[in-house]
């Protein structure tokens, strides 16, 4: 059994209230049984990046899956993979997203929890015309004044210099490193790293007013 | 002849998922660059098998950090590592080690194997 499947089963089956059990069906696919909720068939991937091709391969091999889980913390989802899965009524995200979606009975429509709020919020700003999701955490945003900016999301509680520099190194230049965690604040060095690179490091409170200055 | 990759995987999952102690021993053994950094574990793995393994690395940025990241990526290819890299000033600013009750990997490695 693959390592990521072992971890998923171990953590699903230690549910203290006994609401949840899980077993391996075949290869990367597990079945989660929740009391009073529909069973969930989920593929647990150890990929570092989930592209449309990888997502498609999972779906072709396992057409009945409800959810595709990227188990690694560093797993990145390509925007096209997200669109593909959503069109096929398959939820996507990390293990935490899978676990809560299974408990809530909404695995088919669930999306990576940590970015979900920011993804909704940016589309609700009145000054935003269009949002293209390049990756799970990188958006190309066109404002109504036709200004286009690239925004990268940092979910950490207290972003460090390394968080900002790694975002830049992995995904390329961004205009804004958006710290989407509602708590905590970026370290002073994270702000300095942003200045060095030429991007703003902003909390959600500062996003809307900054966009209005562009 | 057995490949390094196969030997590493056997070490990882001979029987079951590794304890905090076993993970610390394994990472220290396979990531020589850890010597130049302060390294800790925190979070759920200290209480049992968590869904991820929280590691804190404190030290300067630069080439040594790049090398360490590569070593950790290779060693963690079959572990759900969640690694936070901090500069010393960031660790002081956030008081992260005390706040999250981080335990040094070297201390964990010297403890009872079932912890």
């Amino acid at each position: 059994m693959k390592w990521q499947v072992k971890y998923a089963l171990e953590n699903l089956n230690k549910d203290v209230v006994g609401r949840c059990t899980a077993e391996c069906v075949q290869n990367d696919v597990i079945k989660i049984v929740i009391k009073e909720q529909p069973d969930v068939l989920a593929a647990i991937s150890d990929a570092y990046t989930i592209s449309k091709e990888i997502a498609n391969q999972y779906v072709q091999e396992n057409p009945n899956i409800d959810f595709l889980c990227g188990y690694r913390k560093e797993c990145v989802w390509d925007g096209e993979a997200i669109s593909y899965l959503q069109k096929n009524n398959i939820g996507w995200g990390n293990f935490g997203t899978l676990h809560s979606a299974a408990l809530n009975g909404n695995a088919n429509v669930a999306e990576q929890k940590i970015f979900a709020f920011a993804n909704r919020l940016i589309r609700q700003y009145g000054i935003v015309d269009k949002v293209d999701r390049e990756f799970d955490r990188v958006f190309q945003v066109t404002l109504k004044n036709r200004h286009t900016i690239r925004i990268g999301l940092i979910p950490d509680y207290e972003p460090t210099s390394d968080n900002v520099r790694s975002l830049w190194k992995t995904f390329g230049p961004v205009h804004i490193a958006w710290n989407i965690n509602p708590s905590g604040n970026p370290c002073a060095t994270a702000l300095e790293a942003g200045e060095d690179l030429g991007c703003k490091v902003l909390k959600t409170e500062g996003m809307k007013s900054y966009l209005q200055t562009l | 002849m057995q490949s390094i990759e196969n030997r590493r995987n056997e070490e990882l999952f001979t029987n079951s998922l590794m304890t905090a102690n076993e993970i610390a021993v394994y990472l220290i053994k396979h990531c020589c660059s850890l010597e130049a950094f302060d390294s800790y574990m925190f979070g759920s793995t200290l209480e049992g098998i968590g869904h991820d393994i929280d590691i804190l690395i404190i030290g300067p940025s630069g080439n040594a950090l790049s090398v360490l990241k590569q070593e950790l990526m290779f060693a963690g290819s079959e572990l759900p590592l969640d690694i936070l890299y901090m500069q010393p000033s960031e660790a002081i600013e956030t008081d992260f080690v005390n706040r999250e009750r981080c335990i040094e990997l070297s201390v964990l490695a010297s403890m009872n194997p079932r912890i």
Side-chain angles (χ1 to χ4, degrees), chain A residues 59 63 65-68 85-86 88-92 107-110:
Chain A
V59 175
I65 57 169
D66 302 294
F67 192 96
L68 179 55
L85 290 167
Q86 289 175 332
N88 283 279
N89 205 30
I90 295 168
W92 64 279
N108 292 90
V109 293

Side-chain angles (χ1 to χ4, degrees), chain A residues 73-84:
Chain A
K73 166 72 189 325
E74 59 265 61
C75 179
V76 171
W77 299 73
D78 195 283
E80 289 185 345
I82 295 168
S83 300
Y84 170 80

Side-chain angles (χ1 to χ4, degrees), chain A residues 68-208:
Chain A
L68 179 55
C69 171
Y71 199 88
R72 289 184 194 280
K73 166 72 189 325
E74 59 265 61
C75 179
V76 171
W77 299 73
D78 195 283
E80 289 185 345
I82 295 168
S83 300
Y84 170 80
L85 290 167
Q86 289 175 332
K87 278 177 194 158
N88 283 279
N89 205 30
I90 295 168
W92 64 279
N94 62 10
F95 177 76
T97 306
L98 168 62
H99 195 181
S100 53
L103 290 170
N104 294 330
N106 62 358
N108 292 90
V109 293
E111 62 172 298
Q112 178 76 290
K113 278 197 302 187
I114 48 179
F115 303 123
F117 177 75
N119 178 45
R120 280 197 300 274
L121 184 64
I122 192 73
R123 294 166 199 273
Q124 288 169 3
Y125 288 154
I127 51 170
V128 169
D129 183 46
K130 186 180 164 202
V131 177
D132 290 320
R133 195 169 197 173
E134 293 181 31
F135 298 96
D136 52 359
R137 69 206 70 187
V138 178
F139 300 108
Q140 182 146 306
V141 177
T142 306
L143 304 179
K144 285 191 173 148
N145 64 9
R146 309 318 301 158
H147 206 101
T148 297
I149 54 169
R150 203 158 178 264
I151 300 175
L153 311 186
I154 298 180
D156 297 73
Y157 176 66
E158 288 163 323
T160 62
S161 167
D162 185 74
N163 290 138
V164 176
R165 292 187 185 281
S166 295
L167 177 75
W168 188 282
K169 187 177 175 189
T170 306
F171 299 101
V174 293
H175 299 90
I176 299 171
W178 180 8
N179 179 206
I180 57 174
N181 195 311
S183 307
N185 282 297
C187 293
T189 46
L191 302 175
E192 288 166 16
E195 280 180 28
D196 280 353
L197 295 166
C199 73
K200 289 278 181 190
V201 179
L202 297 175
K203 295 287 292 181
T204 299
E205 303 86 82
M207 271 295 288
K208 195 172 176 181

Side-chain angles (χ1 to χ4, degrees), chain B residues 25-37:
Chain B
V25 169
Y26 172 82
L27 291 178
I28 290 169
K29 180 178 173 187
H30 290 277
C31 303
C32 304
S33 301
L34 278 174
E35 276 184 4
F37 293 81

